[in-house]
Amino acid sequence: MSKLSLERILQSQGFGTRKWCSQLIEEGEVSVDGKVIRDSRCVVETEGLEFSVYEEQWIYRALVYIALNKPANFECSRRASHHPGVLTLLPEQFNLRDVQPVGRLDHDTTGLLLLSDDGAFIHQQSSPKHHVPKLYHATTAEPVTPELVDYLLKGVKLHDEPAPLAAISCERVATHQLAIVLEQGKYHQVKRMLAAAGNHCTALCRTQIGNLRLEALCLEPGEWCYLEAAQLALLTTAAKL
Ligand code: URA
């Protein structure tokens, strides 16, 4: 159980500075359990709290965990330069509460991207020590041969990498498509591994992290959802092709 003043609650949820939040409340724009509250210092229990701001409904979340179906032509970096940033696909509140992508996908890579404002979670998910397997579907310029699959499984030596990098698993899905599971998350890893193997990646989609499948989330490109405890638990289990 934890109680906070309504102005602090709004601030923690990304609605702006404390002063701005207090103004919103005093102007009658905030309701709790369907009742307008105009006293910004009013103390409220945060657990299970549902509130509305400008008639939009919100649930209090101490920390947020988000899955986005990233479309092409969005950048994961905070200071996006050539394309809009992925945060522009989310409500403004998430930006203000410092939600960040967990790792990065290239601007032209699509699929499952996690975002959060929980620093420990971001670190745990992106740390190489934690070996979170990720499944990608890659479309290739040249046909996928058994030799290519073999090569990716045995390990590919990439420039600037001391040891060869191997796929955890790799399967041909169609003449020009393969499914590949990687644990390391090095810069442009799938594309560089395919290039080093004499092929070329023409499209890339991340379809699974741990056992959390993009398909199960039913998100159209550009759509997002909160991840709840059961879905977060899937992130720590080994990915199956
Ligand atoms: N590997 C790549 O080459 N690009 C990505 O965006 C992710 C993995």
Side-chain angles (χ1 to χ4, degrees):
M1 296 285 202
S2 150
K3 292 188 172 192
L4 285 176
S5 68
L6 196 52
E7 61 185 3
R8 276 203 187 278
I9 290 177
L10 288 197
Q11 188 187 13
S12 74
Q13 302 300 288
F15 285 90
T17 61
R18 198 158 146 203
K19 194 166 162 207
W20 174 250
C21 293
S22 138
Q23 203 176 316
L24 274 180
I25 297 164
E26 281 154 21
E27 285 172 358
E29 302 295 355
V30 182
S31 309
V32 173
D33 294 334
K35 259 180 45 200
V36 174
I37 296 190
R38 287 176 185 269
D39 174 6
S40 58
R41 304 243 162 114
C42 170
V43 172
V44 179
E45 171 57 52
T46 56
E47 204 176 295
L49 172 66
E50 292 186 25
F51 62 96
S52 69
V53 180
Y54 293 126
E55 292 182 8
E56 193 180 343
Q57 207 57 39
W58 293 86
I59 293 178
Y60 174 87
R61 291 173 192 263
L63 295 165
V64 285
Y65 305 91
I66 291 157
L68 170 73
N69 184 355
K70 181 190 171 297
N73 299 322
F74 281 84
E75 288 183 19
C76 287
S77 63
R78 261 189 102 72
R79 272 185 220 96
S81 48
H82 299 294
H83 301 278
V86 287
L87 281 159
T88 61
L89 295 165
L90 305 177
E92 206 189 339
Q93 284 77 8
F94 293 154
N95 212 333
L96 286 179
R97 59 185 291 177
D98 210 22
V99 165
Q100 297 176 30
V102 179
R104 292 194 178 174
L105 289 177
D106 299 333
H107 81 273
D108 53 354
T109 300
T110 58
L112 183 55
L113 179 70
L114 307 179
L115 300 104
S116 180
D117 56 357
D118 179 348
F121 171 79
I122 295 176
H123 174 74
Q124 195 238 7
Q125 282 291 311
S126 26
S127 157
K129 279 193 215 136
H130 284 91
H131 303 291
V132 182
K134 297 174 183 87
L135 170 60
Y136 297 88
H137 278 80
T139 307
T140 56
E142 307 300 330
V144 175
T145 59
E147 293 74 31
L148 173 69
V149 170
D150 235 40
Y151 192 55
L152 296 170
L153 283 170
K154 281 198 180 119
V156 179
K157 178 78 183 78
L158 296 182
H159 182 64
D160 284 348
E161 288 300 330
L165 298 173
I168 302 297
S169 53
C170 184
E171 270 177 18
R172 177 186 178 278
V173 175
T175 51
H176 288 76
Q177 203 181 57
L178 57 78
I180 180 167
V181 177
L182 299 178
E183 266 183 359
Q184 300 96 346
K186 304 273 181 191
Y187 180 66
H188 291 332
Q189 190 173 341
V190 176
K191 293 176 187 164
R192 286 163 70 215
M193 283 174 76
L194 280 167
N199 207 315
H200 173 71
C201 179
T202 57
L204 187 61
C205 179
R206 183 156 71 192
T207 50
Q208 189 169 329
I209 299 177
N211 269 325
L212 181 70
R213 290 186 307 115
L214 177 62
E215 203 185 1
L217 298 171
C218 302
L219 299 171
E220 292 297 322
E223 285 185 351
W224 65 273
C225 65
Y226 290 108
L227 293 176
E228 307 297 347
Q231 293 159 320
L232 290 172
L234 294 173
L235 293 172
T236 52
T237 49
K240 294 187 199 93
L241 276 179

